[in-house]
Structure formats: structure tokens, C-alpha cells
Amino acid sequence: MPLTTDTPLLRALRTALPAEALLTDPVSLAAHSRDSAPFSECGTPAVVAVPRTAEQVEHVMRTAYALDVPVVPQGARTGLAGAANAVDGCVVLSTTAMDRILSVDPANRLVRCEPGVTTRRLAEAVAEHGLTYPPDPASWEHCTIGGNIATGAGGICCVKYGVTADYVLDLDLVLPDGRRVRTGRDTAKGVAGYDLTRLVVGSEGTLAVVVGATLALRPARPPALSLLAQFPTLTAAGDAVAAIIAAGHTPSALELLDRATTEAVVDLGRHPLLRSGSAATLIVESDTANPSADLTAMELLCKEAGSDHIATSATPEEAREIIEARRLVSTALAAYMASHGGGLTAFIEDVAVPRSALPTLVGMIEGIAARHRLKIFTLGHAGDGNLHPTVVFDPADPDEVERARTAYDDIMAAGLELGGTTTGEHGIGTLKREWLERELGPVSLELQRGLKRLFDPKNLLNPGKVVTA
């Protein structure tokens, strides 16, 4: 229920936050009750706090700690694992209003910013200085740096440039009891003490609240060229991926679309280079000093692996057209669901396996789709073995919902069976706690629970997520 004006929690929060920074109306509470994950439980927050300064975050955390009230940090709520879902009676701490880019330092190739800055805005700001921030999650227009840090986000170009964790140098944190601490350093090298920065990255808001970050930058990427290769079998596409990596190439993108996903983009009618009937499509981008020569070599490897249709770019404009096939996937899936009555929904899975096991996993997912009579679209980052199977189902059909849940579990089991992990970049949240226990084993799990207790002895910060205390 919304807080009344005489609630001790609200009275205490108002001593340091203005009234407009404390949301208690039912619409706001409902809007901040969950992220974008399906099948994940959520509660109703007591209040949504929207601080603008680190000092206000400290006050929120001290107040909640003293009153034994849970706090759930949130960014843009684009997460797909339930890590930002509210629990009943909690304070939702939204960092979206803390959106300042504090400084860009070209000499040291770093940027300092607050957690509410969107990934796209940060990338555009540093580009003005001839620099780039490489991590590029699919939701980069909306997702925030704080959320990227919390989930350890990746993206299309991470096969060459790495993920969020590779760029976080320094964090400004508020602990569950309201204390402030800085981890990391601004120097290129540093090994003093335990690496608390890397520990917090990917911890999904369960250890501390990020109120500031120092991120490493790179020189602006050179113009890229791309190729699109289609294959008659999954094995042939997998062989091409293995050959590209084994030959020492470093593509800046190496993306896979399975048969269903390829057909969905073809049916959209907005990408003339894609042909119908292929078992798999690879989209490869190169931004080396000589991308044309790189693409020629990779094109030959695709042909040797059995590709029966290849389109290559000669200009950056043509390269962007090829990459657009990957970026059209979300639109294509939305169109597919709309064409089937508009009542369908989907969840986007996230599983990673060794690259050599990629074709096997895609084949297993196709078998899971057939076994459970479901449509599953599989796409992902072939260059690092990270796939995003997207299960489409009718939420109004209880039988289909149950089959979708079972298919979800089967995909997780398949990934672990092939020596993989249950999440490559989306995180554990509430969705995958059971699967995390299976993946880690009892000793590792107990160590992680011990870390949680050390940071958060009262278990008030984002309780019930990742590992239970």
C-alpha cells in the first residue's frame, strides 16, 4: 500500500529528500515493481526513492538499515533476470535521476559518470573526444551504466572488445548500512588488495549501490566492413565460426541467427540480402586496419565450411546494411507475434557454451522447441558462444505457459550439459537461482553466501536475488 504522511520511514526519508523524489502513488509503485524478466515473482514497494546525489543515497540506505526495511536498486528496468524486481514493503532506489557525466579525460582515456547515464549517451559524449566506450548491450539506448555494471552486461562487439567488467576501473559505492567506499583506481595497473571492483560488477545490486563509476575508454573504432553468410546446416555455420577463430581473425562482431530467426527477418521484407531457407546465418564485422582483406579471408573460410550464400560490403554504408539484419531481429519477432493474433509474449534466454559446442546447442534448442510444440528463435554472439534463445508463447494458455517454463529449464540443462553457463550477460536475478546452485556446487555457493553476509549482514539489499543469505 502507498505510504501515508505519518509513516516513520517516509518521515525519515523526507528529512533529506524532497517530496518529489519520493513516489507513493499506485501507478508509480506498479511501474517500479519489476524489470523486463518473465516468470519472475515481484512484490509491491512501499516507496520509490529517486535521489539525485550520492549523499541522498547514503541517507536512504542509513534510514532503511536502521528501520530494517529492504532496499531494491533499480536502473532503467531493462534487465531480463528479475534482479531489479521489488519485494513487498521495500524501498525501490531508482538511480535514473543521477545522470551526470562528470568528466571525460582523453589523456588517461577514462570517463567519470553517475549510474543513471544511459549507455548510448555515454558513448556519444566520449565520441566527441575521439574515444569510444565499447560495451553495447542491445538495450543501449535505454539501459544505464549502473545497470550495466550490476549485471555485467555484454553486447554485439564483446567478441573483440570485451564486456562491461573489462572497462570498470573505479566504483563509488554506498554499502547497505549507508557507509561510502571507493574501490579500484584510475591507473592503468593496480593490484593492491582484493579486487572489490570486479566483485561488485555483476553482483546485481546485492552487495552495494553504485553511485559513481570511472570507466576505461578506447580510441574511436575505425570504419568497419561486414559480411553475411548463410548455411544449409548448423554444423556448417559452426565450422565457419571455428575456422574464423582458429585462423586468428578478431572480428568485431560474429553473430548467429538460426533458421527460425532468419525466416522471421526475411518475412519482415526489409533486408534484401537475406535469403529464405537457410539453416543458419552468420553476420561478421571487421574493423581492423585492413578490413577488406580480413573479410576476403573470412569469406573464403565460410565458403570452405559450406556457405551457399554470401554478401559482402565494400563501404561502411553497406556494412551497416548487413549489420541491420541483426538489429532487425527484435522488430521481426514483434511482427511475428503480431501476425499470430497479437496475444503472444516472449522471454529472451541467455546461455553460453564453449564455441565448439555452439552448433550442438542450437540443434538441442531446435529439438526442445519441437518436443514442447513451441516456437523458439535462437540468435546470439557466436564469437563467444553466448546464445539468446527466445521462447514465444501465449500467456493466456496455461498449458502453453507450462510448456514454455519446461522449455526454459531444458535449455538451461542443455547449456550445462555442454560445459557452459546459465548466463553469459543477463545475470541470475530471481529467475536462475536454482540453476546457479546446480552450476556452482556447494563449496562455491557457500563462499558466495559468505560474501553476501559480509557486505549485507541484515540481508536488506536486494534480498532474494542471486544467492540467498
Side-chain angles (χ1 to χ4, degrees):
M1 295 293 292
L3 285 175
T4 59
T5 55
D6 60 351
T7 302
L9 173 62
L10 188 55
R11 288 202 305 270
L13 291 174
R14 278 182 171 161
T15 64
L17 275 78
E20 62 269 19
L22 297 170
L23 311 177
T24 59
D25 63 281
V27 173
S28 295
L29 298 182
H32 290 82
S33 66
R34 63 181 310 122
D35 61 19
S36 300
F39 300 151
S40 57
E41 68 271 16
C42 69
T44 302
V47 59
V48 178
V50 191
R52 289 191 172 274
T53 68
E55 291 72 22
Q56 289 178 345
V57 174
E58 291 179 60
H59 176 73
V60 171
M61 299 307 295
R62 282 195 301 267
T63 299
Y65 197 79
L67 296 174
D68 291 328
V69 175
V71 176
V72 176
Q74 282 186 357
R77 306 191 301 280
T78 57
L80 293 166
N85 286 6
V87 297
D88 284 331
C90 73
V91 175
V92 162
L93 178 56
S94 171
T95 59
T96 54
M98 299 175 66
D99 60 355
R100 294 181 301 161
I101 296 174
L102 303 174
S103 64
V104 180
D105 183 347
N108 291 301
R109 291 184 185 168
L110 55 84
V111 58
R112 295 180 178 86
C113 70
E114 293 181 328
V117 177
T118 64
T119 312
R120 176 174 182 169
R121 182 166 157 246
L122 183 83
E124 291 173 344
V126 303
E128 295 177 4
H129 298 266
L131 298 168
T132 186
Y133 177 67
D136 62 341
S139 58
W140 78 301
E141 292 189 8
H142 308 289
C143 65
T144 63
I145 293 298
N148 292 173
I149 291 169
T151 59
I156 292 176
C157 74
C158 58
V159 61
K160 178 175 181 178
Y161 290 102
V163 295
T164 299
D166 299 310
Y167 294 88
V168 181
L169 297 175
D170 182 313
L171 290 175
D172 187 1
L173 303 171
V174 177
L175 297 176
D177 60 6
R179 288 178 296 166
R180 188 96 163 261
V181 63
R182 175 187 171 185
T183 69
R185 68 289 182 281
D186 292 351
T187 56
K189 297 166 69 176
V191 292
Y194 298 125
D195 192 347
L196 298 181
T197 303
R198 289 295 287 253
L199 178 61
V200 170
V201 176
S203 63
E204 303 183 46
T206 61
L207 303 181
V209 178
V210 175
V211 293
T214 302
L215 307 171
L217 303 174
R218 290 195 177 206
R221 293 172 57 185
L225 295 178
S226 305
L227 73 80
L228 180 151
Q230 296 186 260
F231 297 84
T233 67
L234 286 168
T235 300
D239 289 344
V241 171
I244 288 170
I245 300 300
H249 295 289
T250 54
S252 48
L254 183 49
E255 298 290 293
L256 172 73
L257 281 60
D258 75 343
R259 183 187 302 276
T261 310
T262 298
E263 291 300 324
V265 178
V266 169
D267 291 345
L268 199 61
R270 288 163 53 181
H271 204 284
L273 299 178
L274 268 181
R275 293 183 179 177
S276 181
S278 292
T281 301
L282 286 182
I283 298 170
V284 188
E285 181 187 79
S286 174
D287 63 0
T288 62
N290 188 358
S292 181
D294 235 23
L295 279 189
T296 297
M298 289 190 281
E299 178 182 3
L300 179 60
L301 293 173
C302 288
K303 288 179 177 177
E304 291 175 348
S307 175
D308 53 11
H309 171 60
I310 296 180
T312 60
S313 65
T315 67
E317 291 72 26
E318 292 176 358
R320 284 190 289 272
E321 183 181 7
I322 287 176
I323 290 294
E324 186 68 9
R326 173 63 172 86
R327 301 199 182 277
L328 280 172
V329 168
S330 295
T331 304
L333 298 191
Y336 171 86
M337 290 189 286
S339 70
H340 286 72
L344 301 180
T345 190
F347 69 79
I348 303 174
E349 195 31 75
D350 169 44
V351 60
V353 295
R355 283 189 294 259
S356 59
L358 202 67
T360 303
L361 177 60
V362 177
M364 293 173 75
I365 293 169
E366 289 186 341
I368 290 168
R371 188 163 63 251
H372 295 294
R373 309 188 311 281
L374 293 167
K375 193 75 170 182
I376 301 180
F377 300 87
T378 301
L379 63 149
H381 317 306
D384 50 26
N386 187 190
L387 292 181
H388 298 307
T390 301
V391 181
V392 175
F393 62 98
D394 182 355
D397 182 340
D399 177 67
E400 195 159 306
V401 170
E402 184 57 33
R403 284 186 277 124
R405 287 180 184 271
T406 305
Y408 172 92
D409 285 342
D410 288 352
I411 293 169
M412 292 295 95
L416 292 183
E417 179 184 333
L418 295 173
T421 176
T422 55
T423 176
E425 55 190 8
H426 292 172
I428 295 296
T430 60
L431 271 183
K432 299 183 179 181
R433 285 173 304 191
E434 177 188 349
W435 286 101
L436 180 69
E437 294 182 11
R438 299 188 196 187
E439 181 174 340
L440 293 182
V443 176
S444 179
L445 188 63
E446 183 53 36
L447 287 172
Q448 300 218 12
R449 286 174 172 158
L451 287 168
K452 170 65 172 172
R453 288 191 294 268
L454 179 63
F455 275 80
D456 185 15
K458 288 188 175 183
N459 191 29
L460 291 176
L461 184 56
N462 214 9
K465 316 297 170 56
V466 189
V467 294
T468 53

